[in-house]
Amino acid sequence: MKTILVTGGAGYIGSHVCVQLLEAGYSVVIADNLCNAQRDVVDRIARITGTQPVFYQTDLLDLDGLRAIFRAHAIDGVLHFAGLKAVGESTEQPLRYYSNNLTGTLHLLTAMQEAGCTTLVFSSSATVYGADNPVPFDERMPTSATNPYGYTKVVQERILTDIAAAQPDMSVLLLRYFNPVGAHPSGWIGEDPNGIPNNLMPYVAKVATGELPCINVFGNDYDTVDGTGVRDYIHVCDLARGHMLALEYAFGRTGTDIINLGTGRGSSVLELIYAFSKACGHPLPYVIAPRRPGDIASCWADTTKAKEVLGFTAQLTLADMCRDSWHFICRQRERE
Ligand code: NAD
Ligand code: UDP
């Protein structure tokens, strides 16, 4: 069975993908510097799957550390999740974001090239569709960005495309995620950011637990179903399943391809709050606040290509996402 290097594998999405890789019989090697993850996530992955992944606390900025991993393991392919992802923080610390995300990716590509590893699946984002494309977003649309985080994704897509073009045996798959939410149904892994969350679902979850008093709904005057922002929320376990299909697809081809991973369906902020209040069993207080600068009204995926190329269709609903997020948060609080 193939050995997969998962950069950022202790993080939110990477950990769910590691679970599915191990369950499918892949050997998994995780490289994560733990700048946004806990070490015990690796043990939780083992608890769910019954298999301990190999773990290196390695920074992608440390090229020799990466080289050592490729020397120690015959890596067949790489799933590249490692990166900094907070939009607001990227505006305050652009140098850190460009340095971490771009240099990290360049080092990874260097180590892969030296080791003769030619298959890479990259975590891109719907953010590369920028502010000017009409929904639904399809993979042929021009890319742009509205903040440094988004530009790191646009530039990484460019770097990977250029390198694959110059190296004919290389296979690169750029996966553009929409809004991953939810958690593993076991309640062992999920998303529980420290402090005040930036994203809607973890914020709502903290209001549901009483850690935060009230949800701020950023604008109710958008041209959407109820005036609040619309996003394509996808369950992280569906997203992980998409990666399993994507990896097999990447192994069977060369060149670069781009595929959206979303549900193709948008939900408004108020719809999400309502779905979460049903999941947690009590109403959630919210107030209408000003629009958040840089937000677009609506964002959802054209999923035609994922269906045609990967045979992927998301199966889990917004209710499933809220139920599993709530279950994870409750289990976390019990463990604390
Ligand atoms: P996350 O922060 O939970 O996981 C990223 C992991 O990478 C963390 O465990 C962190 O410790 C690690 N990391 C960061 N920089 C590193 C470095 N230099 N060396 C080694 N490890 C490093 O984030 P996530 O939500 O799991 O996102 C994974 C990927 O998917 C990211 O590239 C992100 O930009 C992308 N993405 C996420 C979303 C989302 O909403 N969560 C949406 C679109 C794209
Ligand atoms: N949002 C909100 N209150 C919050 C966080 C987010 O109303 O505390 C809105 C935001 O304006 C957007 C939607 O929820 O319309 C999803 O925001 P998130 O940050 O989760 O994802 P992104 O905007 O990056 O797609």
Side-chain angles (χ1 to χ4, degrees):
M1 189 39 99
K2 293 188 174 80
T3 300
I4 309 300
L5 173 64
V6 185
T7 75
Y12 171 48
I13 303 171
S15 58
H16 288 80
V17 174
C18 287
V19 165
Q20 293 198 16
L21 286 168
L22 290 164
E23 285 174 346
Y26 287 96
S27 292
V28 171
V29 177
I30 296 174
D32 196 306
N33 66 359
L34 301 182
C35 71
N36 196 35
Q38 305 297 324
R39 174 66 181 79
D40 75 347
V41 167
V42 180
D43 301 324
R44 294 178 185 205
I45 293 170
R47 189 183 268 266
I48 295 169
T49 61
T51 310
Q52 190 75 35
V54 177
F55 175 71
Y56 291 93
Q57 185 170 348
T58 299
D59 196 316
L60 298 197
L61 299 182
D62 170 14
L63 177 55
D64 286 334
L66 271 177
R67 286 178 168 134
I69 294 174
F70 279 93
R71 270 198 305 275
H73 304 273
I75 305 288
D76 295 291
V78 177
L79 294 177
H80 180 29
F81 296 97
L84 299 173
K85 64 163 184 177
V87 170
E89 193 179 67
S90 80
T91 307
E92 290 149 22
Q93 304 171 26
L95 179 58
R96 180 167 166 244
Y97 270 67
Y98 284 116
S99 168
N100 189 77
N101 293 1
L102 301 187
T103 308
T105 296
L106 293 172
H107 283 176
L108 177 64
L109 288 163
T110 303
M112 285 178 70
Q113 216 166 54
E114 289 172 2
C117 180
T118 55
T119 302
L120 178 83
V121 177
F122 174 64
S123 302
S124 190
S125 165
T127 195
V128 303
Y129 290 111
D132 299 325
N133 287 306
V135 282
F137 296 147
D138 89 62
E139 292 86 348
R140 291 159 300 189
M141 288 174 169
T143 58
S144 64
T146 54
N147 55 70
Y149 166 71
Y151 277 111
T152 71
K153 292 297 180 194
V154 171
V155 174
Q156 284 175 99
E157 285 199 354
R158 183 75 250 164
I159 290 169
L160 290 164
T161 305
D162 288 345
I163 288 174
Q167 196 185 321
D169 61 347
M170 184 114 191
S171 172
V172 165
L173 201 47
L174 310 175
L175 297 180
R176 293 181 179 159
Y177 311 154
F178 281 67
N179 289 57
V181 295
H184 193 270
S186 66
W188 280 109
I189 53 173
E191 189 180 30
D192 187 17
N194 290 330
I196 298 178
N198 299 306
N199 296 111
L200 181 63
M201 181 70 107
Y203 199 105
V204 169
K206 288 204 181 197
V207 173
T209 60
E211 288 161 80
L212 291 171
C214 181
I215 303 155
N216 297 301
V217 175
F218 296 148
N220 67 346
D221 55 355
Y222 287 108
D223 182 17
T224 63
V225 58
D226 56 20
T228 66
V230 166
R231 296 291 182 274
D232 184 343
Y233 299 97
I234 177 168
H235 196 297
V236 66
C237 293
D238 266 335
L239 191 73
R241 193 167 51 79
H243 283 74
M244 305 302 293
L245 298 165
L247 189 60
E248 281 315 307
Y249 173 65
F251 276 127
R253 63 186 303 284
T254 55
T256 303
D257 210 350
I258 307 173
I259 300 180
N260 287 339
L261 289 180
T263 65
R265 187 180 170 279
S267 302
S268 73
V269 175
L270 294 181
E271 284 168 343
L272 187 145
I273 293 172
Y274 181 66
F276 206 101
S277 69
K278 277 178 91 172
C280 71
H282 56 86
L284 297 169
Y286 67 84
V287 291
I288 305 300
R291 289 182 177 195
R292 185 171 63 178
D295 268 355
I296 56 174
S298 297
C299 170
W300 68 85
D302 183 326
T303 57
T304 312
K305 191 167 174 188
K307 198 178 298 175
E308 280 175 8
V309 174
L310 302 179
F312 173 76
T313 308
Q315 287 166 356
L316 298 165
T317 63
L318 189 62
D320 297 325
M321 303 174 211
C322 294
R323 179 201 61 216
D324 291 339
S325 284
W326 179 236
H327 177 57
F328 167 70
I329 290 291
C330 293
R331 292 288 312 275
Q332 271 294 91
R333 296 298 174 269
E334 285 162 22
R335 286 187 286 259
E336 281 166 7

